Amino acid sequence: MALTVTNALLEGERIGLRCEDGAIAALGADVTPESGDETLDAGGAHLLPPLVNGHTHAAMTLFRGSGGDLPLMPWLEEKIWPVEAKLEDEDVYWGARLACAEMLGSGTTRFWDMYWHPEATARAVTDAGLRATIGAPLFDLGGSPEELRESAHRSLEALAEFGPRITPALAPHAIYTVSEESLRWIGELSASHDLPVQIHLSETEREVQDCIAAHDLRPAFYLDRLGMLSERTVLSHGVWLDPDELALIAERGTTVVTNPVANMKLAVGGVFPHPAARSAGVPVGLGTDGAGSNDSLDLMSDLKIFALAQKHAAADPTAIDAAEAWAVATGGRAPLLGATPLEPGAPADFLLLRPDSPQLAIGELTADLVYSASAATVEAAVVAGNVLMRGGEVPGIAEIVAKASERAGRLGL
Ligand SMILES: [Zn+2]
């Protein structure tokens, strides 16, 4: 079925947009509905590309508000890992449904996820109508390389069943939880099967020091030696990357996703060097990280903090401008993340934002989007030509919240 959006505002012009078979068929001032089309009257709302959340652990919405204000390792070892050992498919499903509802309501329609029971996350994303690149977290410290390989193959096979809105990925957790042998194997599998890879890197200064002590190399050089830096790889965090590492990452075409709120909440003590990364030519995206360490999945609010942290760290308000920050948050600075441009032939994924909202009514639109907009400005969200939200309300939200709360209660959270 085709969908035609009428009366939308794009770069100051009133336009129509017609979607067919999940893609944008036409957009422009003269585009009107054809007979039989589903129609959506935008009422003068701003037509914008959706945000892309480059790093999540979606079902960790179940852990929201239970972080205990701890540093990274005690938080993982005391609060997270013991509870994760008890997770069931239905916990992950409802945690991920809650994540999808929250992301959709704040303008994100695509995300990159690393979490247990990845097929339950894929089912949640499919039912919610979003898009995601998903991988099971791979660890082999405390396990074995054979178990890691089995786990990777199991999750890739299960995820391949879900169709085009789910992209299976490899997700080795970090250089301090996966062996050299397994990282090398993951790099080879990614190359031979053209699979995306997502890994945490250089989140804490301690991780860098430990890597130098163990391998006599900084983390990016260590990963490169194992064949893990490629244009298929996403490095999450990158807080402590130095100029030589940024040059290498740019040369390999590897993407870095910065998660400023999670970094600030865990107080890692540094800020991702975005101006240096941009000058080096590194593809950059923005992420929230999991709700366990953020505790929100609202990328629209993290977008402001991203821009502010960059300005503050550089003691320079021109360190990043609103257009650049918006481009990063919508995936426009990292092709691998899967941004969807507003043009014929592209996937029919877009947002409608309220032009009469207090946050957007006055001022230059891009500046408002970065420094003022909140989830309350999102009127409608469309993915693959399907209207997933209209009137600012995610359908079924009450049931999703109730079920996720019930599952969190079961886990003692
Ligand atoms: Zn993470």
Side-chain angles (χ1 to χ4, degrees), residues 170-192:
L170 293 159
H173 175 262
I175 57 171
Y176 55 90
T177 43
V178 182
S179 67
E180 200 165 325
E181 176 189 345
S182 290
L183 288 170
R184 202 183 287 281
W185 177 79
I186 289 162
E188 285 165 7
L189 190 66
S190 163
S192 61

Side-chain angles (χ1 to χ4, degrees), residues 368-380:
D368 285 352
L369 290 169
V370 175
Y371 303 121
S372 164
S374 71
T377 63
V378 184
E379 168 74 13

Side-chain angles (χ1 to χ4, degrees), residues 222-406:
Y222 171 63
L223 277 188
D224 191 52
R225 197 186 76 194
L226 304 178
M228 277 276 293
L229 286 193
S230 79
E231 67 286 351
R232 297 173 304 278
T233 301
V234 171
L235 309 171
S236 285
H237 300 303
V239 174
W240 303 96
L241 295 170
D242 78 1
D244 290 344
E245 290 180 288
L246 290 171
L248 174 70
I249 289 166
E251 198 180 314
R252 297 287 182 261
T254 302
T255 296
V256 179
V257 166
T258 175
N259 304 275
V261 174
N263 295 155
M264 290 164 103
K265 183 151 185 279
L266 289 166
V268 300
V271 172
F272 168 66
H274 180 70
R278 184 180 48 194
S279 320
V282 174
V284 176
L286 182 65
T288 54
D289 211 340
S293 63
N294 182 305
D295 293 12
S296 150
L297 298 177
D298 178 350
L299 200 68
M300 205 176 265
S301 82
D302 287 19
L303 162 59
K304 175 174 180 171
I305 295 169
F306 164 56
L308 299 192
Q310 291 301 328
K311 291 166 184 286
H312 189 64
D316 177 4
T318 69
I320 186 166
D321 63 20
E324 174 69 12
W326 177 252
V328 169
T330 51
R333 291 289 181 268
L336 178 63
L337 295 182
T340 44
L342 291 170
E343 60 190 34
D349 296 9
F350 51 86
L351 307 175
L352 294 171
L353 265 58
R354 295 183 173 128
D356 55 353
S357 58
Q359 298 91 342
L360 297 181
I362 297 169
E364 197 268 318
L365 180 61
T366 308
D368 285 352
L369 290 169
V370 175
Y371 303 121
S372 164
S374 71
T377 63
V378 184
E379 168 74 13
V382 174
V383 173
N386 300 310
V387 184
L388 301 184
M389 179 174 98
R390 60 173 91 207
E393 176 112 346
V394 178
I397 186 69
E399 188 206 358
I400 294 167
V401 171
K403 293 274 196 187
S405 304
E406 191 186 308

Side-chain angles (χ1 to χ4, degrees), residues 55 57 200 237 289:
H55 181 59
H57 310 281
H200 297 107
H237 300 303
D289 211 340

